[in-house]
Amino acid sequence: MIEWSEEQLAFQAAVRRFIEAEIVPNLEELEHGDTPPYEVLRKLYDTFGIAEMQRARFKSLMKQDGAEKAAAPTEEREGSGETLAMQLILTLELSRYCPGMVTAMGVSVGLTSAAILGRGTRAQKERWALPLLTFEKIGAWAITEPGSGSDAFGGMRASARRDGEGGYILNGNKTFITNGPFADTIVFICKLDDGSEPKDRKLLSFVLDRGTPGLTQSKPLRKMGLHSSPTGELHLQDVHASADQLLGESEDAYGRSGAKQTFGMERAGVVSMALGIVGRCLELCVEYAREREQFGRPIGEFQLIQLKLAKMEVARMNLQNLLFRQIELAQHSQRMSFAEASACKLYAAQTAMEVALEAVQLFGGNGYMAEYQVEQLCRDAKVLQIYGGTDEIQITQIARDLLSR
Amino acid sequence: MKKILVCLKQVPHKDARLDVRSDGSWIQDDNIKFEINDYDTYALEEALRLKDQGEAEVVVATVGPERAAQALRTALGMGADRAIHIWDDALAETDGLGIAKALAAAAKDENFDIIFTGLMSDDANCAVTGPMLAELLGIPHITAVVKTEFKNGDVEVERELEGGALEVASLPQPCLLAVQTGINEVRYASLKGIMQAKKKPLDKKDLGELGLDAAAVAPKLTVEKIFVPPKGAGAEIIEGPADEVASKLVGKIKELGLF
């Protein structure tokens, strides 16, 4: 893939028109007010018929479960590349103005539904994954705890005890949970407390509905950026879960590989977010460099400014190529290895941060003011180096993979 | 089944940077983004609404170079049924009449019930193609349409006049309606629509296929030059103490009838 196709460009143009009409005028409220992002995201889903397409995709997924999937005809495989391209375009376009919205949407439609689709039984997929895919319901994927971030599994304290009647009693606290305050469907990851050593305990994953007795969803937490993505805490005190809420309905269904797969997907999405942020920063900077005059001429005539612009363009080209590679791989039913996805995420996150900081610098005093968009994009970019695995974790995983070959 | 034609033009994107060519013949348009003329999107929406209400075929047509196919694909993605793309090197220098002749040649055997155009184009601002097309086809037309109602073979329209007044008029079909912006809320092309657009027919036609030749579309109007007026010309700078400047400014505003 060397260029967007005509259809992809048409979708991009339509999505941009929607964002400029429906989101940009309300950005202030979405970023700093009490309005959650879900209503406008649902409107976006309805407008472009995405919910309808997701429903069709779900149906075909249900049909070709298991072994048949590998033998899917070429057309369908190309279709999955096309679906990914459209998803990435949506992410890219939203990230130009509102990376927080991408996070809120991606965690619900992407991460949470993928966790259920990956490990759930057919009934669980129909009950919980489908309404998430269509954005009818909002999902949260709860893994991080106050005492465990990068060491998500080792430090995990959330627990499930068998209740002796086939069900479970869940306890624990989760934090930094995207959509936590508003989620209807929560995938709760915890360890089976069967009396064994904590490090030997099995990982289990439960699906919980909003309003379950014993489950408390906090108010949104205040954070540095991503203000349009509500982040919260979840507290579980003796929450009862029945066996059909255990993902896969088996204590052996979930493992680290399940969570790893989910991480892999999260990492791929960061490239398109970074490209959105970098592309927008570059656009704003070029415009500003043309118009802003100092010492009697536009600042774009100064070589130090030109250097910043040139580096931003290099970053944009690299990110675009990475994104095209992801799409092309999907078109051939392939995906990046975990280490490759980590490398992409590391590069994308660092690049977005560097470019956004340079954009603030290029805008000078204006760049530090909230009135100019680079200030928000700069705050938002930082999270890319932290969530979905910190830069440090990505580095370790890339190195470990290299050394194990 | 009603047959509806929507004529649209691809124009520079509203965010595109517009520089005048060094020879002053037109703007530099080889490296900028394009989009469907804003007025024409309302015309298209009006046609698609008629289609939503009942049986209708919506055909979109444009005169423009290779890149203009993208505008037609977008229209197909929004719901139009088929497209006609007219281009010929001889059309590169033509004027509004030449464009209208090409469109008329493409439309004459199709027997459209209604033709929608935008009131004018965002780039050239001539507002002539619609009325000229109607004249060439020998059908009535009306411009600056802000409301339409279709009943018993007639079209009742409201059109915008000077100073906010409206005019109500009635036309028999077939007719041509040149639509004002804001008449409706223009839909977005849906994802499914965009994917399906590729499969819808898009006919390319050159002058020969339309029974025309270069002489028929030779421009009667020649653009001498395009230029950006020099900065500051026509500006008046009021100087003096703040209160005097303010009262002089108020006087000027009243004098010009701006308030």
Side-chain angles (χ1 to χ4, degrees), chain A residues 36-346:
Chain A
Y38 311 111
E39 203 180 310
V40 65
L41 284 171
R42 279 193 184 117
K43 190 168 179 190
L44 185 126
Y45 261 58
D46 288 346
T47 302
F48 292 103
I50 300 171
E52 192 190 328
M53 289 190 86
Q54 291 277 50
R55 210 166 280 127
R57 197 184 126 219
F58 181 80
K59 227 170 138 187
S60 89
L61 271 178
M62 289 291 101
K63 251 193 224 163
Q64 37 148 307
D65 245 349
E68 295 161 47
K69 203 171 176 177
T74 326
E75 203 174 306
E76 249 167 64
R77 277 194 270 128
E78 277 170 5
S80 81
E82 202 49 40
T83 310
L84 179 71
M86 296 304 184
Q87 279 168 359
L88 293 174
I89 286 170
L90 205 57
T91 307
L92 167 65
E93 288 300 318
L94 278 169
S95 298
R96 288 164 47 85
Y97 288 98
C98 215
M101 285 210 160
V102 177
T103 307
M105 177 182 80
V107 165
S108 186
V109 183
L111 284 191
T112 315
S113 78
I116 299 169
L117 286 172
R119 303 282 145 173
T121 62
R122 197 184 177 90
Q124 287 173 330
K125 289 176 192 175
E126 272 163 9
R127 180 173 169 194
W128 286 299
L130 181 59
L132 289 177
L133 284 172
T134 56
F135 220 76
E136 193 184 314
K137 292 209 166 159
I138 301 156
W141 191 63
I143 184 161
T144 302
E145 298 184 4
S148 71
S150 294
D151 182 19
F153 304 115
M156 189 176 286
R157 299 181 65 170
S159 69
R161 268 184 295 115
R162 298 188 186 104
D163 69 356
E165 292 166 12
Y168 296 85
I169 307 292
L170 313 179
N171 278 287
N173 297 311
K174 297 286 179 185
T175 193
F176 309 152
I177 307 305
T178 298
N179 297 333
F182 300 98
D184 303 303
T185 304
I186 297 160
V187 171
F188 175 77
I189 300 161
C190 59
K191 285 186 168 177
L192 178 64
D193 179 3
D194 53 2
S196 61
E197 282 293 308
K199 66 175 173 48
D200 299 327
R201 289 177 187 175
K202 280 180 188 166
L203 279 168
L204 300 182
S205 187
F206 291 88
V207 189
L208 304 172
D209 293 311
R210 184 180 184 78
T212 300
L215 166 69
T216 315
Q217 297 173 244
S218 79
K219 282 188 184 161
L221 301 168
R222 287 181 62 174
K223 46 192 192 303
M224 177 179 175
L226 286 196
H227 292 157
S228 52
S229 164
T231 309
E233 295 168 333
L234 301 172
H235 306 286
L236 281 82
Q237 197 173 8
D238 294 333
V239 170
H240 180 261
S242 53
D244 63 1
Q245 285 175 277
L246 172 62
L247 219 43
E249 293 193 39
S250 153
E251 289 178 359
D252 299 311
Y254 206 84
R256 288 176 184 223
S257 67
K260 250 184 149 177
Q261 209 178 352
T262 312
F263 280 140
M265 206 178 80
E266 197 177 9
R267 283 169 202 186
V270 168
V271 174
S272 56
M273 291 185 74
L275 180 56
I277 294 171
V278 166
R280 182 65 183 155
C281 282
L282 178 59
E283 220 172 78
L284 291 167
C285 285
V286 168
E287 203 181 305
Y288 194 76
R290 272 199 197 117
E291 283 167 13
R292 172 77 172 174
E293 288 190 8
Q294 290 290 286
F295 306 102
R297 48 190 168 143
I299 60 169
E301 288 182 15
F302 298 114
Q303 289 188 338
L304 284 173
I305 299 295
Q306 292 177 351
L307 177 63
K308 290 187 203 303
L309 296 177
K311 281 185 165 178
M312 287 181 195
E313 173 63 1
V314 172
R316 190 197 63 77
M317 287 168 67
N318 281 336
L319 288 168
Q320 179 157 297
N321 284 336
L322 285 180
L323 195 72
F324 285 172
R325 180 172 161 77
Q326 282 179 1
I327 296 168
E328 180 130 21
L329 281 169
Q331 282 166 350
H332 291 86
S333 280
Q334 292 179 29
R335 73 168 95 184
M336 287 188 184
S337 71
F338 193 55
E340 278 174 327
S342 300
C344 288
K345 199 248 170 194
L346 176 69

Side-chain angles (χ1 to χ4, degrees), chain A residues 6-7 17 48 290, chain B residues 17 70 187 191-192 198:
Chain A
E6 215 173 71
E7 290 77 35
R17 186 157 78 87
F48 292 103
R290 272 199 197 117
Chain B
R17 187 182 149 90
Q70 180 68 40
R187 73 192 59 194
L191 192 44
K192 199 173 164 189
K198 197 161 47 171

Side-chain angles (χ1 to χ4, degrees), chain A residues 6-11 14 16-18 20-22 47-50 52-53 82 86 290, chain B residues 13-15 17 33 69-70 73-74 78 185-192 194-195 197-198:
Chain A
E6 215 173 71
E7 290 77 35
Q8 288 160 352
L9 286 173
F11 182 57
R16 192 171 290 188
R17 186 157 78 87
F18 178 92
E20 285 172 356
E22 306 280 343
T47 302
F48 292 103
I50 300 171
E52 192 190 328
M53 289 190 86
E82 202 49 40
M86 296 304 184
R290 272 199 197 117
Chain B
H13 195 277
K14 62 179 181 304
D15 297 335
R17 187 182 149 90
K33 269 173 49 171
Q70 180 68 40
R73 290 271 179 228
T74 302
M78 288 166 75
E185 201 178 320
V186 182
R187 73 192 59 194
Y188 298 92
S190 76
L191 192 44
K192 199 173 164 189
I194 290 167
M195 308 288 251
K198 197 161 47 171

Side-chain angles (χ1 to χ4, degrees), chain B residues 1-50:
Chain B
M1 189 164 79
K2 266 199 192 327
K3 260 178 97 173
I4 304 168
L5 175 67
V6 182
C7 301
L8 47 90
K9 179 178 182 182
Q10 196 191 38
V11 296
H13 195 277
K14 62 179 181 304
D15 297 335
R17 187 182 149 90
L18 303 179
D19 291 321
V20 176
R21 280 184 198 157
S22 53
D23 66 359
S25 60
W26 186 234
I27 54 155
Q28 292 214 33
D29 61 2
D30 42 6
N31 201 19
I32 59 169
K33 269 173 49 171
F34 288 85
E35 63 181 352
I36 300 179
N37 177 37
D38 201 32
Y39 291 87
D40 301 343
T41 61
Y42 292 92
L44 176 60
E45 176 64 34
E46 210 56 20
L48 294 175
R49 284 183 185 201
L50 262 180

